[in-house]
Amino acid sequence: MALNIRGYAAQSATSPVAPFTFNRRDLRANDVDIDILYCGVCHTDLHVARNEWGNARYPVVPGHEIIGRVKAVGSDVRNFKAGDLVGVGCMVDSCQHCAPCQQGLEQYCLEGSTLTYNSLDRQDKSPTYGGYSQSIVVREQFVLRVPDQLDPKSAAPLLCAGITTYSPLKHWKVGLGQKVAVVGLGGLGHMALKFAHAMGADVTLFSRSPGKEQEARRLGAEHVVISTDADQMKAVTGQFDFILDTVPHQHDLNPYLATLKLDGQLVLVGLLEPIDPPLAAGALVRKRISVGGSLIGGIAETQEMLDYCADKGITCDVEMINIEDVNTAYDRMLKSDVRYRFVIDIASLG
Amino acid sequence: MALNIRGYAAQSATSPVAPFTFNRRDLRANDVDIDILYCGVCHTDLHVARNEWGNARYPVVPGHEIIGRVKAVGSDVRNFKAGDLVGVGCMVDSCQHCAPCQQGLEQYCLEGSTLTYNSLDRQDKSPTYGGYSQSIVVREQFVLRVPDQLDPKSAAPLLCAGITTYSPLKHWKVGLGQKVAVVGLGGLGHMALKFAHAMGADVTLFSRSPGKEQEARRLGAEHVVISTDADQMKAVTGQFDFILDTVPHQHDLNPYLATLKLDGQLVLVGLLEPIDPPLAAGALVRKRISVGGSLIGGIAETQEMLDYCADKGITCDVEMINIEDVNTAYDRMLKSDVRYRFVIDIASLG
């Protein structure tokens, strides 16, 4: 048993994320022991720390955009060795035998994947603690290799924001000759612009407020449409093959449906609540369009995404913080005051 | 100008469908003049006659499931001759040059297709009148050939109920090895069972009330699930690749989403109103499922469907009525008291 691991945790829905010391299970034969270097700050961290989804198991040590260096490996581990630069995303285990797991889609594990934090270990039922800590022990199959070409700090958010946007763009075969729109310019949205552009699509950002044109263009958008401007929205009626909606709270999807072509698809990656205002079924029927969702990505696809990023020179735009500033970062994130992802320098744990 | 064509029309939202005599435009060079034999009674007829969608242009002569015999053809018509058995569905014209029209998807014409009734002719802006009448004049490209093997009475509803269910099953590639569910056992639902079964799928009917097992099995379903029975619904969690929802009024889709597999698709063909209760976005995200819609089918696909029906021996189950009974038929249709489509014998116009 590894004792006195230092981290930061929320102890209740109303308490700030604060220093927390815990004991950690020993390394199993197929585990990798990772010294954490950097951890991205995802909107999910805030949702769970504040129990906004009603499923928090306190204490909650958030963080699932983890970059670290392998410290030790279990006796059966063959693919990693001490010193390797590695990543851990949203999952640390799954059943490995259901149909989705067999297809490399562990995020859709029929038994439920084990999440990096706020979950229970499949073997000993101990709580899982995330990346706001010195170290983590993860089953080999859920450890990603971080290519040397990637800057480790700005690679951290690839493990959630990156794969969450990359996976649906690949699944729905976004590419050259297609018109793609991204709703929302946050941690996910800025990655969606980069990926859709890299995949060859003609990319538009839908934004609620003006002033983001220059940033959007820098990130890969060809066009910016102000979604609150009726004339601008009308001008793009029936334009898009695919819309990736990254907004993490309820909003009206119907104006976006109007901008889809025949057979267009809108995919939600941020929203988990009921779709309200309600979707107009007539809009779906009259253009044979679909509204769907997508959840992060599988482990093999996450590795593919990291390699793709190394090949294309893609990383996240990040703002580095010390861990004692994480509560301030949450407040700023709620005001969209971040370009575009906070990343914690875990060295600041001291 | 053809004078004194006899038909039945609604004169207002509250008036019954009653005898109506009108003048009809002359045959153009590319038109086919059709003596109507039979006309199916679609839920849309009732919606429009009673102005439930707020777009009725009275007088409304309903009917878009038309079987008739060619009486005469315009000078440029090459594919039809007097005496041919033909069909007319929901559309009688479209722009023919937009991208959807060029793909044979006239139902999604960007300029709007010309509907068989309650529309305006593209050339002279005269109102279009549907199949509750002696005859109709239709542009050659929108006339279907009815194979000899099909019984003309029971073929009539193929022109709307048939193609509306056939098209999405083909588009989403339903076939052998797939589990498909159909929501609702009405005019559309009974055709969906027949088609999905003929295409090789393992077919389930979702029904709100018990007692339909025998009928459903006769029509092609292997299984019947009572959607109001929580245990039965739970037993089919995560079972289906594809759900075709034929229900024409608002209902909760969320229980059906739970029965879809990873990457499953639910397609609406009956509902045109807002989806209320709201869809759970989390359910879409957690299984990468989509909810979409589909509108009738293109002309070439409608011909393909008629030929498929001739080949497979598929027709609608119909109850023949005289035209003076159409208001009673509407009332019975609202109570789902029809197996499964009323068809008007137009000879009853006298």
Side-chain angles (χ1 to χ4, degrees):
Chain A
M1 180 84 70
L3 302 175
N4 300 326
I5 304 292
R6 278 172 296 121
Y8 263 56
Q11 297 287 346
S12 76
T14 53
S15 69
V17 176
F20 170 65
T21 301
F22 57 98
N23 301 330
R24 208 197 62 199
R25 66 174 166 85
D26 289 330
L27 208 61
R28 296 179 191 134
N30 62 349
D31 276 344
V32 178
D33 186 356
I34 301 164
D35 279 338
I36 300 177
L37 297 169
Y38 306 108
C39 184
V41 177
C42 175
H43 211 105
T44 297
D45 298 353
L46 184 157
H47 281 308
V48 178
R50 298 185 179 176
N51 200 20
E52 292 174 357
W53 294 336
N55 66 344
R57 304 171 206 262
Y58 293 103
V60 169
V61 177
H64 57 205
E65 297 180 338
I66 298 168
I67 299 283
R69 213 167 274 286
V70 175
K71 182 181 183 185
V73 298
S75 56
D76 291 347
V77 170
R78 291 291 168 266
N79 294 313
F80 298 96
K81 62 178 192 308
D84 287 352
L85 190 68
V86 294
V88 178
C90 301
M91 300 179 283
V92 290
D93 206 356
S94 74
C95 84
Q96 302 280 295
H97 56 69
C98 71
C101 282
Q102 291 286 316
Q103 296 170 67
L105 296 164
E106 301 90 351
Q107 74 273 35
Y108 303 115
C109 174
L110 295 182
E111 296 185 7
S113 63
T114 306
L115 301 177
T116 302
Y117 64 88
N118 198 47
S119 227
L120 296 178
D121 180 80
R122 296 185 105 75
Q123 293 185 41
D124 67 14
K125 307 297 172 200
S126 61
T128 60
Y129 292 139
Y132 296 8
S133 71
Q134 289 180 297
S135 71
I136 191 166
V137 161
V138 178
R139 183 176 177 177
E140 177 183 23
Q141 287 89 337
F142 287 78
V143 178
L144 288 309
R145 186 168 297 282
V146 178
D148 292 336
Q149 302 94 313
L150 291 177
D151 168 57
K153 296 183 182 71
S154 49
L158 294 176
L159 279 314
C160 172
I163 187 62
T164 297
T165 50
Y166 178 88
S167 182
L169 293 169
K170 291 290 280 190
H171 180 70
W172 275 278
K173 300 183 169 50
V174 161
L176 202 64
Q178 286 191 308
K179 289 194 168 192
V180 170
V182 173
V183 185
L185 182 56
L188 272 64
H190 97 289
M191 288 311 302
L193 294 181
K194 293 185 185 201
F195 284 133
H197 176 73
M199 291 172 187
D202 179 81
V203 185
T204 295
L205 173 70
F206 281 120
S207 173
R208 288 176 53 81
S209 48
K212 294 183 183 161
E213 284 77 3
Q214 202 180 337
E215 270 294 281
R217 289 206 169 79
R218 181 180 69 78
L219 295 164
E222 301 285 331
H223 323 275
V224 176
V225 172
I226 306 303
S227 60
T228 51
D229 181 324
D231 290 340
Q232 288 195 31
M233 288 300 281
K234 197 170 174 196
V236 291
T237 299
Q239 289 292 302
F240 300 110
D241 297 284
F242 186 84
I243 298 177
L244 193 67
D245 186 321
T246 70
V247 176
H249 50 72
Q250 288 186 326
H251 56 293
D252 192 356
L253 302 184
N254 292 303
Y256 302 116
L257 296 187
T259 72
L260 282 170
K261 276 184 198 164
L262 175 64
D263 291 324
Q265 174 91 35
L266 184 148
V267 172
L268 301 165
V269 289
L271 182 65
L272 292 173
E273 296 156 73
I275 299 176
D276 195 25
L279 278 180
L284 305 180
V285 167
R286 290 190 191 97
K287 286 195 292 192
R288 195 161 62 183
I289 60 186
S290 288
V291 172
S294 178
L295 181 67
I296 45 175
I299 295 299
E301 192 178 42
T302 305
Q303 188 62 61
E304 172 193 308
M305 180 269 311
L306 289 170
D307 297 342
Y308 181 87
C309 287
D311 183 47
K312 301 278 185 184
I314 294 173
T315 49
C316 299
D317 290 26
V318 303
E319 179 176 340
M320 298 303 298
I321 59 169
N322 289 333
I323 197 160
E324 62 267 29
D325 298 324
V326 70
N327 297 290
T328 310
Y330 284 179
D331 293 339
R332 286 184 51 196
M333 189 163 62
L334 284 176
K335 291 183 284 190
S336 302
D337 175 24
V338 51
R339 284 186 180 178
Y340 284 91
R341 203 66 147 181
F342 291 112
V343 171
I344 303 167
D345 184 347
I346 296 296
S348 62
L349 261 173
Chain B
M1 179 82 72
L3 302 175
N4 300 326
I5 304 291
R6 278 171 297 120
Y8 263 56
Q11 297 288 345
S12 75
T14 53
S15 69
V17 176
F20 170 63
T21 302
F22 56 98
N23 301 330
R24 208 198 61 199
R25 69 175 165 83
D26 289 330
L27 208 60
R28 294 177 193 136
N30 62 349
D31 276 344
V32 178
D33 185 357
I34 302 165
D35 279 337
I36 300 176
L37 297 169
Y38 306 108
C39 183
V41 178
C42 176
H43 211 103
T44 297
D45 298 353
L46 184 158
H47 281 307
V48 179
R50 298 184 180 176
N51 199 21
E52 291 174 358
W53 293 338
N55 65 345
R57 303 171 206 261
Y58 295 103
V60 169
V61 177
H64 58 204
E65 298 181 338
I66 298 169
I67 299 284
R69 213 168 273 286
V70 175
K71 184 182 182 185
V73 298
S75 55
D76 292 347
V77 171
R78 292 290 167 269
N79 294 314
F80 298 96
K81 62 179 192 307
D84 286 352
L85 190 68
V86 295
V88 178
C90 300
M91 300 178 284
V92 289
D93 206 355
S94 75
C95 82
Q96 302 281 295
H97 55 71
C98 71
C101 281
Q102 291 286 316
Q103 295 171 66
L105 296 164
E106 301 89 351
Q107 74 273 34
Y108 301 115
C109 174
L110 295 182
E111 297 185 7
S113 63
T114 305
L115 300 177
T116 303
Y117 64 87
N118 198 47
S119 228
L120 295 178
D121 179 80
R122 296 185 104 76
Q123 292 185 41
D124 66 15
K125 306 299 172 198
S126 62
T128 60
Y129 292 139
Y132 295 10
S133 70
Q134 288 179 299
S135 71
I136 190 166
V137 161
V138 178
R139 184 176 176 176
E140 177 182 24
Q141 286 90 335
F142 287 78
V143 178
L144 288 309
R145 186 168 297 284
V146 177
D148 292 337
Q149 302 94 312
L150 292 177
D151 168 56
K153 295 183 183 70
S154 49
L158 296 175
L159 280 314
C160 172
I163 187 62
T164 297
T165 50
Y166 177 88
S167 181
L169 293 169
K170 291 290 281 190
H171 181 70
W172 275 277
K173 300 184 168 50
V174 162
L176 202 65
Q178 286 190 306
K179 289 194 168 190
V180 170
V182 173
V183 185
L185 182 56
L188 272 64
H190 96 289
M191 289 310 302
L193 294 181
K194 292 185 184 200
F195 283 132
H197 176 74
M199 292 171 188
D202 180 81
V203 186
T204 295
L205 173 70
F206 281 121
S207 173
R208 288 178 53 81
S209 48
K212 295 183 182 161
E213 284 77 2
Q214 203 180 337
E215 271 293 282
R217 290 206 169 78
R218 180 180 68 78
L219 295 165
E222 301 284 332
H223 323 275
V224 176
V225 173
I226 306 303
S227 58
T228 51
D229 181 324
D231 290 340
Q232 288 195 30
M233 288 300 280
K234 196 169 175 198
V236 290
T237 299
Q239 289 292 302
F240 300 111
D241 298 283
F242 187 85
I243 298 177
L244 193 67
D245 186 321
T246 70
V247 175
H249 50 73
Q250 288 186 326
H251 57 293
D252 192 356
L253 302 184
N254 292 303
Y256 301 117
L257 297 187
T259 72
L260 282 170
K261 275 184 199 166
L262 176 64
D263 291 324
Q265 173 91 35
L266 183 148
V267 172
L268 302 164
V269 289
L271 182 65
L272 292 174
E273 296 156 74
I275 299 175
D276 195 24
L279 278 181
L284 304 181
V285 167
R286 289 189 193 99
K287 285 194 293 191
R288 197 164 57 183
I289 59 186
S290 288
V291 172
S294 177
L295 181 66
I296 47 176
I299 295 299
E301 192 178 42
T302 305
Q303 187 64 60
E304 172 193 308
M305 179 270 311
L306 288 170
D307 297 342
Y308 181 88
C309 286
D311 184 48
K312 300 279 184 183
I314 294 173
T315 49
C316 299
D317 290 26
V318 303
E319 179 177 341
M320 299 302 297
I321 59 169
N322 289 332
I323 197 160
E324 62 266 28
D325 298 324
V326 70
N327 297 290
T328 310
Y330 284 179
D331 293 341
R332 287 183 52 198
M333 190 162 62
L334 284 175
K335 291 184 285 192
S336 301
D337 175 23
V338 52
R339 284 186 181 176
Y340 284 91
R341 204 65 149 180
F342 291 112
V343 171
I344 303 166
D345 184 345
I346 295 297
S348 63
L349 261 173

